[in-house]
Amino acid sequence: MSIIEGQLRQAAMAYLNTRPTPHVDYHWLREFMFNGEQIPLMDMQRGIRKPAKLSGALSIRTTYTKPGAAPPYMDNTGSDGFQRYKYRGTDPSHPENKALRRAFEDALPIIWFVGVAPGRYEPIYPVYVVGDDPSQLEFTLALDETQRLLMAPGFVMDEAQRAYAMRETKQRLHQRVFRSQVLLAYTTKCAICRLKHPELLDAAHILPDSHPNGLPIVPNGLTLCKIHHAAFDNKIIGVRPDYSLHVRPDVLEEVDGWMLKGGIQGVHNTSLAVIPTVRKARPSVDRLEERYAEFLAY
């Protein structure tokens, strides 16, 4: 990697660190400047972006998946816990594939833009290409430095290391994108109390990711503040399939401070205060029914 190439990649990632919102769009990404030259960080027409002055790819892109559909990257996590990224087309010698292969050969850091809403992307960086499989038409990606070390030539992973790789892929990709998509669907407000400070909000699973139907997709999510998320997970508050709320009877009888009275007991027999405007993004009735049955059986 030349000095200029290294400086450009470092500058691109520093630019992403200054983004005014957690998510980015093409308009903002095309404003990146390096040494007085405008260099868009993402290509809207191609999945793999390689500016002319670089030897290898600078970024890759995964398009937005509509609510209810499984994101394409979910099917591309290998049994080793590492994420795969499909070739452009079926020709390993396509210029875009060659650009990403060069990033692999030269161990170049790249940026992954994952669609979380129409025209909006979650940037994940630095990402490294650590494998190339022409027979499967795919590259292998490392989402952090430790994953990268696990794929070093000659290194043989054991079960604990594979479990670590899988966990990191879920946290750095699946759960991170899930959080972004759920918060956007709920306009960054708690579904129960409307709190709108993102640093105090979580993307709560209706069914946990350990459940066969607990996919990291918007219909399996609720934006909840920290208090209401904990209450939901600990079966203090239940959400019925009709989106109405129920507080556990023993908690309703407790006498405590204003937080319990207003924040927990006060939501009993009300309904979710915020639901997505897009019907397919709303909480899955089937998932809520299964979760509410667990709540009643607690």
Side-chain angles (χ1 to χ4, degrees), residues 21-94:
T21 62
H23 316 110
V24 295
D25 59 21
Y26 180 70
H27 175 78
W28 188 81
L29 292 171
R30 73 182 181 185
E31 298 301 316
F32 171 67
M33 301 288 294
F34 180 74
N35 287 349
E37 180 182 353
Q38 186 173 343
I39 302 176
L41 297 183
M42 184 175 70
D43 195 318
M44 287 300 295
Q45 304 301 320
R46 301 177 178 85
I48 300 171
R49 165 75 170 145
K50 188 193 84 65
K53 62 172 61 252
L54 297 186
S55 63
L58 174 63
S59 69
I60 57 178
R61 177 171 61 93
T62 295
T63 57
Y64 167 64
T65 303
K66 293 181 179 180
Y73 53 77
M74 288 176 56
D75 295 329
N76 291 328
T77 303
S79 60
D80 55 8
F82 284 80
Q83 190 63 36
R84 269 46 175 194
Y85 187 84
K86 288 296 183 180
Y87 279 13
R88 163 69 185 270
T90 59
D91 179 8
S93 296
H94 187 283

Side-chain angles (χ1 to χ4, degrees), residues 129-170:
V129 185
V130 292
D132 177 17
D133 187 352
S135 68
Q136 297 298 315
L137 302 175
E138 64 187 16
F139 296 98
T140 301
L141 305 179
L143 303 180
D144 67 6
E145 288 290 345
T146 304
Q147 279 195 341
R148 184 184 176 200
L149 291 174
L150 292 176
M151 289 296 286
F155 189 90
V156 179
M157 286 191 294
D158 59 26
E159 286 302 317
Q161 290 159 337
R162 271 191 287 272
Y164 168 84
M166 184 68 76
R167 185 169 63 252
E168 286 299 294
T169 296
K170 286 184 176 181

